[in-house]
DNA sequence: TTGAACTTTCAAAATTTACTGAAAGTTATT
DNA sequence: AATAACTTTCAGTAAATTTTGAAAGTTCAA
């Protein structure tokens, strides 16, 4: 297999993985492109390599920056912006975990907690089962919350070499 | 808040969570409906409560059964099928983890492993960086694979009360 | 073997989501 | 202040996904 083929296949696969997880295909493809780029790329590089419009490239690059998966790099003497991906896959995973927890998991936990406050507090068979479900989701979510928070904290500490702080 | 409102909001929220994770909104809503149902529901119940067509209900119920999140129940004396969700949230989570690992994570690992076999084995700066990326994704994925497999095995053993088997 | 009760399939329609490209906005340079 | 280099926005369009509903398929009882 030639390098170019492999590159295209990786970008393709990363894009498919993205869509399967509710992430815009193009955003995932740009991420793939930057992950394997030895040097930071500019918007035109991304547009050309993925054959996408300026607007599309710009929007998805911003989104990747929001997720902290990509950094803006300014080269001395150059007007335009360059983009560089976080290359450490473990850090990438932690970014994604944190982001999704914040955007999707936390709101769900809040909703479920609120939904326990129904007027008829389990008087009917239906509302009793409902409360039961809300409670078990809440219990599970709280454990998950702690586990993820702990995981992210442990990783951060591992990276900064300050694992000891955890035991203070 | 009235029970009916809370019920609708839960179904709604579970549906949104689904779409955010690349799962069909209706499939997630049916799942929500069954999670809070005290008794198994039939296709017509689902159609009526969610205001969806028979085809849609049928397809998404099959999909939920594929995922092992829902079981078909046959009531004596009744021709039609009833559907019942797995209620234990931990089991639900493990089902989803297993399913997604199998459908999305494993294929990616295979792809990435294959993509290391490029003709020019890192001769250019570009292909060297590419190989580096493939390797680090592979290393990460293998660890993730082990962690998830272990997690699922531990859960299964916890449920069947045979935790000891792990140490044989 | 007929028909009633129910399930499955799938082409076409509806809906949702993503993309384009041109215009407006910004920033730096002369 | 005018221009050049670049980025952002967003209305309109295109593409992908989801849904419908009617026809075909299945199963069982009489």
């Amino acid at each position: 297999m030639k390098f170019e083929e492999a590159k295209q296949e990786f970008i393709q696969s990363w894009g498919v993985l993205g869509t399967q997880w509710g992430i815009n295909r193009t955003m995932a493809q740009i991420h793939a492109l930057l992950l394997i780029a030895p040097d930071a790329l500019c918007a035109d590089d991304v547009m050309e390599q993925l054959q996408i419009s300026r607007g599309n490239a710009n929007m998805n690059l911003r989104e990747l920056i929001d997720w902290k998966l990509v950094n803006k790099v300014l080269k001395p003497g150059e007007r335009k912006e360059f983009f560089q991906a976080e290359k450490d896959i473990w850090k990438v995973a932690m970014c994604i975990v944190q982001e999704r927890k914040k955007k999707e998991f936390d709101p769900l936990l809040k909703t479920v907690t609120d939904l326990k406050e129904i007027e008829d507090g389990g008087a009917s068979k239906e509302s009793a089962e409902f409360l039961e479900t809300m409670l078990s989701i809440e219990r599970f979510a709280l454990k998950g919350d702690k586990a993820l928070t702990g995981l992210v904290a442990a990783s951060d500490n591992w990276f900064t070499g300050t694992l000891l702080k955890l035991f203070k």
Side-chain angles (χ1 to χ4, degrees), chain A:
Chain A
M1 180 183 281
K2 299 252 169 50
F3 166 61
E4 268 306 321
E5 288 171 345
K7 174 173 169 179
Q8 291 310 319
E9 194 173 329
F10 174 63
I11 291 171
Q12 197 50 40
S13 303
W14 206 247
V16 169
L17 188 71
T19 55
Q20 287 170 332
W21 288 80
I23 284 164
N24 181 295
R25 170 184 263 101
T26 303
M27 175 169 152
Q29 288 181 334
I30 296 176
H31 186 223
L33 185 62
L34 293 175
L35 271 178
I36 61 175
D39 305 296
L41 302 181
C42 68
D44 291 273
D45 294 334
V46 172
M47 287 164 62
E48 193 202 320
Q49 294 214 40
L50 298 180
Q51 298 285 351
I52 59 176
S53 71
R54 185 170 302 283
N56 196 8
N58 181 68
M59 289 213 294
N60 286 110
L61 280 165
R62 295 305 130 195
E63 189 75 8
L64 283 165
I65 290 172
D66 264 7
W67 282 62
K68 308 207 201 310
L69 292 172
V70 166
N71 287 107
K72 196 186 286 190
V73 180
L74 293 169
K75 294 194 182 177
E78 294 254 29
R79 277 287 274 287
K80 64 186 165 194
E81 300 171 329
F82 288 78
F83 302 92
Q84 177 173 267
E86 167 59 56
K87 302 261 178 160
D88 187 308
I89 299 296
W90 185 257
K91 282 188 185 172
V92 168
M94 287 307 112
C95 274
I96 294 171
V97 164
Q98 261 185 305
E99 198 69 19
R100 302 203 75 150
K101 176 180 179 305
K102 191 171 64 188
K103 286 189 186 159
E104 297 145 15
F105 188 87
D106 292 351
L108 180 81
L109 179 51
K110 183 174 183 331
T111 300
V112 167
T113 302
D114 290 350
L115 291 181
K116 285 185 313 182
E117 307 308 320
I118 50 179
E119 288 171 19
D120 136 358
S124 71
K125 190 176 167 193
E126 282 221 310
S127 72
E129 181 75 21
F130 181 80
L131 282 180
E132 192 56 51
T133 307
M134 293 309 109
L135 264 171
S136 61
I137 293 175
E138 192 186 25
R139 280 195 299 264
F140 176 81
L142 286 171
K143 275 185 206 157
D145 189 325
K146 275 190 193 165
L148 289 183
T149 305
L151 180 66
V152 171
S155 305
D156 283 355
N157 285 310
W158 191 85
F159 280 117
T160 53
T162 56
L163 195 56
L164 287 176
K165 278 200 300 189
L166 278 181
F167 301 110
K168 273 206 300 203

